[in-house]
Structures are given as C-alpha cells and as structure tokens.
Amino acid sequence: MSLRDIVKDGDPILRRISRKVDNFDGKLGKLLDDMRETMKHADGVGLAGPQIGIARRLAVVEVGDTYIELVNPVIVAKSGSQVGQEACLSVPGKACMVERPMNIVVQYSDRFGKQHTGEYSGFVARACCHEIDHLDGHLFYDFEYKGGYRQADKK
Ligand code: ZN
C-alpha cells in the first residue's frame, strides 16, 4: 500500500463528473487499499477517486467499525434529514453545516464487481452522501445550510 497525494480545491478534477469503473482487476483493489491508507493517514472518514486525481466512480468510507468500499455507488432511496457540520480533506480549513438525508439505501459494487445494497443512517449516511457528491463534481460547501426553513423530517 502507498499513500497518495490529496488533490486540493481549485483543481478542476474536483469539478468533473467521474466515469464508471468497468475494470474489476487487481489494480482496483490496490487503488482502494491506497485510498483507505491515505484517508486514515489524513485522519478522514471518507475519500473519493477524484481526491487522489482519479476521475472514476469509487470511494471509501470508514466511520468507527464501519468500512465501506463504494464502486459505482448509486443512492436509490433516502428518508429523513439531518443537519450537521462537514469538512473535506480537499478543502483544508473550511467547515460548514450541510443538510443530508438521515437514512439512505446505496447500491454499489465491491472491488470484485459483486453488487451490494447497503442501508446506512446518521453519520455514515452523511459520509456516503459527501463522497458520492465528489463523483459528480460537487463539494460540500456548495450545499451550505443557512438555516431558516428546514424540510420536515420524513420517517
Ligand atoms: Zn470531501
């Protein structure tokens, strides 16, 4: 495993729409291992492909005992809402409040190409949403929550 350089805000790759992963070979596993190591080394809870200069639809999320490798992830259902603070390894020194769903259902592949459906809530759901946004060229502060009217929580 090796550490990768983390791309910082201002680099156009962070604003690109990433392409699907279609090669499930050993290189993908190595890449995901590097991403996990890079994320942990930087004290993050998630890292997406574009953040290490790879515009492909893949991300890792690690919160406590939950470690998820998301390849070609798609959020297929969401419910409820939560407002909480976010930051990003690519945007040092900035944090703001963002509204996210409380619960999500994500379809994704693992490193071997096997399909999975995961249900996540709370902070893990927030981290997954943040990482999946990276794959569409969005950064968390695009969605800064400014208070005022808040969508009613839907259970
Ligand atoms: Zn981020």
Side-chain angles (χ1 to χ4, degrees):
M1 289 195 283
S2 50
L3 293 177
R4 304 287 186 121
D5 289 334
I6 296 177
V7 169
K8 296 300 191 305
D9 193 11
D11 189 313
I13 197 169
L14 292 175
R15 293 304 188 174
R16 276 171 58 186
I17 295 178
S18 292
R19 288 159 55 211
K20 275 183 97 169
V21 172
D22 43 26
N23 247 338
F24 293 87
D25 55 13
K27 271 171 68 179
L28 176 63
K30 162 91 170 79
L31 180 59
L32 288 161
D33 288 342
D34 284 356
M35 287 173 68
R36 185 182 193 182
E37 192 186 13
T38 302
M39 167 184 68
K40 289 170 87 89
H41 184 260
D43 230 359
V45 295
L47 193 70
Q51 292 184 275
I52 55 161
I54 294 172
R56 288 285 183 171
R57 304 191 77 83
L58 77 176
V60 293
V61 168
E62 186 157 28
V63 177
D65 293 334
T66 303
Y67 174 61
I68 317 162
E69 292 178 347
L70 299 165
V71 180
N72 300 330
V74 178
I75 296 175
V76 294
K78 46 190 166 183
S79 65
S81 76
Q82 56 175 325
V83 174
Q85 184 163 282
E86 290 188 23
C88 179
L89 296 176
S90 292
V91 190
K94 189 171 171 81
C96 68
M97 304 299 273
V98 181
E99 183 173 9
R100 300 288 190 186
M102 182 58 82
N103 312 289
I104 59 169
V105 180
V106 188
Q107 280 178 358
Y108 61 96
S109 297
D110 64 20
R111 60 171 66 195
F112 306 107
K114 187 167 180 257
Q115 291 274 344
H116 298 270
T117 300
E119 292 184 37
Y120 306 108
S121 56
F123 191 69
V124 178
R126 172 179 299 283
C128 289
C129 291
H130 177 120
E131 298 315 322
I132 292 169
D133 275 349
H134 273 297
L135 308 181
D136 292 315
H138 301 306
L139 295 173
F140 71 101
Y141 61 74
D142 300 344
F143 310 114
E144 181 172 4
Y145 177 74
K146 301 224 171 66
Y149 174 75
R150 189 182 150 180
Q151 262 199 326
D153 287 10
K154 294 179 216 92
K155 288 277 149 51

